[in-house]
Amino acid sequence: MNVIQFIGGVVICVQVAVTICAILLFTGCSASDEAQGTPAATGSALVFSVTEGEGTTRGAATRAPQATMTLDGTAGTVSLKDKGFGVFACHTGAHPYVSTTTTANLMYNQLVSYDDGEGVWQYAPLVYWPHGTTGDKDYVSFFAYAPHSTQAADCIVDMSRDDETGDPWLLYQLGGNELPDGPAGWKACQVDLLYDFQRDQQKNDNPSTRVGLNFKHALAAIGDRITVTCDESVATRLKGVYEDSPVVLTVTQITLDYLLTRKGRLVLNGTTQPNWQAVDSEDAKVHRTLTFTPNLAMVQATSASDSSITPFDSGAGHGIFYIPIESGSAKQQVTITAQYTISTGVPAEVVEEGSVNAVVDLSFISNASEGRNMDITLRIPNN
C-alpha cells in the first residue's frame, strides 16, 4: 500500500466562530448604595459610580481571555475594584465640548479607587463642580480609562501631558514577549484596557447624584478556544487505502503565530468605537505564538468501511488581546499550522508526515473591540 503524500492535497479551512456578547459594562451601586456612604460635605463634589449598561449580565464577564477585567474579579478575572481607574476632567465653561478646545484643567489622570467598607468610589483631594460666571451651570467632560496607569504594568507607557491641549490620550503597547508562558510571557503580561467618555456633564441639584461611567472595551480579543477537526472526506480517503491494519492520521502539533500591531494611541473621546491612532515608530508589528502538542489520533480507519473522527479542543483560556488598528505595511493576521503523521500497521509505523497551514486576516473583523469572544475553528478537508 502506498499512502506516501496522501495528505498532500489537504488544506486547512479556517472559520472564526464568533460569540456575540454585550459590551463590557460594569455594575455599580444601586440607588440605595449611592446615598449610603456619600460624605455629608460633598454636596457639590465630583463623585463617580460605575453603572450597569443595557444588555449586560450583572457581574458577568463578556470575555474569557486571561486578564479580562470585570467589576469584582469574578471567575478568575481581574478586578476593576482592585485596580481602580483614571479620570481626566475638562471644564469648558458655558460652552459645550464641541465648541471648545479641551485641556485636562479640572482633573488629570486622577486615580479613583473603590472603598469596600463604604461601598463607594473615592479619590483625594476632592474636586468640586465649577460655578458658572453667568449663573448657568458650566460644562465638564470626563475621559476615563482602566486600569489606572500605575496598575497597567508595561502596557500603558505614555499619556498626554496636563499642559497639552486637545483630548487626553494613552499610548498602549502589547505586553510580554513572543512566547505565552512564564512571568514574562504574553499571557501573564497582557492587560485589558477599558475606556469611557461622558461629555457635557453639569452639576445636578441632587447632592447624591454621581457621574456614571460605562466602561467599554478598547482592545479586540481572539482565539480563546481553538478547535480542530477533519472533514469526513479525509476519513473516506483513509478507508480507501486500508488493507489489513488501521490507518491513523495523528495531529502532533498545532501552532498559532499572531502578527499584531505593536502599539497605538487611544484618544479617550470614543463613543460607539474606541478612537485608535497609529504610531509609526520601532517595528510596526510583533509576533505572539501559541503551541499545542496534542498527539491526537484525529482520524482512524479501522476497516474499508468504518472510521472515526476525534476533534481537538484546546479548552478556554488561550485568548489574546490585540489593538484593532493597522500600522506599517503588513496586516494583522494569525497563521495556523497543523503538523501530522499518517501511520499504519501493527505495531504502527509512520508512513507519512507533514504539515498544513492557513492564514486568517484579522483586519476584516468589523467593530473588533466590541465585547465579543472570537474562537478559532479549523477544519481539514480533502481538496
Side-chain angles (χ1 to χ4, degrees):
M1 176 185 64
N2 180 18
V3 294
I4 304 300
Q5 299 303 317
F6 160 76
I7 204 88
V10 173
V11 296
I12 289 185
C13 174
V14 177
Q15 298 174 327
V16 178
V18 179
T19 303
I20 303 296
C21 298
I23 292 177
L24 179 57
L25 306 174
F26 291 112
T27 304
C29 303
S30 66
S32 58
D33 292 330
E34 297 290 358
Q36 180 181 2
T38 302
T42 62
S44 60
L46 289 168
V47 286
F48 299 96
S49 66
V50 184
T51 59
E52 184 177 22
E54 181 180 355
T56 305
T57 301
R58 187 177 181 89
T62 61
R63 291 185 166 187
Q66 188 169 321
T68 292
M69 184 175 287
T70 61
L71 179 66
D72 298 310
T74 56
T77 57
V78 174
S79 170
L80 176 65
K81 289 183 176 179
D82 289 343
K83 297 293 185 180
F85 57 86
V87 174
F88 301 83
C90 301
H91 173 212
T92 57
H95 297 285
Y97 164 82
V98 71
S99 304
T100 58
T101 299
T102 57
T103 59
N105 55 5
L106 196 60
M107 288 177 135
Y108 175 77
N109 193 29
Q110 176 63 59
L111 170 62
V112 182
S113 304
Y114 190 73
D115 186 323
D116 281 309
E118 294 292 333
V120 295
W121 293 95
Q122 62 181 15
Y123 64 94
L126 285 173
V127 176
Y128 291 81
W129 285 98
H131 293 288
T133 57
T134 63
D136 295 329
K137 296 177 181 178
D138 280 9
Y139 291 102
V140 179
S141 291
F142 297 91
F143 306 79
Y145 73 95
H148 188 262
S149 58
T150 55
Q151 301 286 341
D154 297 322
C155 290
I156 298 177
V157 296
D158 198 7
M159 63 179 58
S160 54
R161 292 162 47 103
D162 58 356
D163 58 353
E164 290 181 324
T165 59
D167 297 322
W169 53 264
L170 310 172
L171 185 66
Y172 181 95
Q173 68 178 13
L174 298 185
N177 58 34
E178 179 177 327
L179 300 176
D181 300 321
W186 62 258
K187 276 190 175 183
C189 295
Q190 68 177 357
V191 174
D192 203 358
L193 181 62
L194 312 174
Y195 75 98
D196 188 39
F197 174 41
Q198 297 291 331
R199 62 190 287 176
D200 295 336
Q201 302 296 298
Q202 295 178 296
K203 178 185 173 182
N204 193 298
D205 293 331
N206 183 348
S208 67
T209 300
R210 300 183 175 222
V211 177
L213 299 175
N214 293 336
F215 283 104
K216 297 168 280 293
H217 286 296
L219 301 171
I222 194 170
D224 186 64
R225 185 179 224 123
I226 317 298
T227 55
V228 180
T229 189
C230 275
D231 190 83
E232 186 63 38
S233 59
V234 177
T236 299
R237 292 201 63 183
L238 288 179
K239 288 184 289 187
V241 295
Y242 176 88
E243 290 184 351
D244 54 6
S245 60
V247 184
V248 180
L249 184 149
T250 300
V251 174
T252 57
Q253 183 170 289
I254 301 166
T255 301
L256 287 81
D257 184 359
Y258 293 95
L259 184 65
L260 303 175
T261 296
R262 175 191 292 271
K263 59 188 175 183
R265 179 181 291 116
L266 178 66
V267 183
L268 296 173
N269 64 356
T271 51
T272 58
Q273 291 294 315
N275 184 4
W276 284 102
Q277 297 178 353
V279 177
D280 293 321
S281 60
E282 301 182 278
D283 293 332
K285 294 294 194 294
V286 293
H287 286 273
R288 296 289 184 265
T289 61
L290 184 63
T291 300
F292 304 96
T293 53
N295 290 314
L296 173 66
M298 186 168 290
V299 186
Q300 299 186 68
T302 53
S303 72
S305 58
D306 296 316
S307 63
S308 62
I309 298 175
T310 304
F312 167 78
D313 188 338
S314 69
H318 304 286
I320 189 168
F321 294 120
Y322 68 95
I323 303 169
I325 188 174
E326 296 300 332
S327 181
S329 58
K331 297 288 188 181
Q332 296 196 89
Q333 63 183 33
V334 54
T335 301
I336 308 102
T337 302
Q339 296 180 341
Y340 67 87
T341 64
I342 295 177
S343 60
T344 188
V346 180
E349 177 184 356
V350 174
V351 293
E352 181 182 330
E353 57 184 339
S355 64
V356 287
N357 66 78
V359 178
V360 179
D361 183 356
L362 301 183
S363 65
F364 83 95
I365 302 173
S366 62
N367 299 335
S369 63
E370 289 181 352
R372 302 185 289 180
N373 235 7
M374 293 183 288
D375 298 332
I376 296 177
T377 299
L378 304 90
R379 179 179 293 274
I380 304 177
N382 174 38
N383 266 5

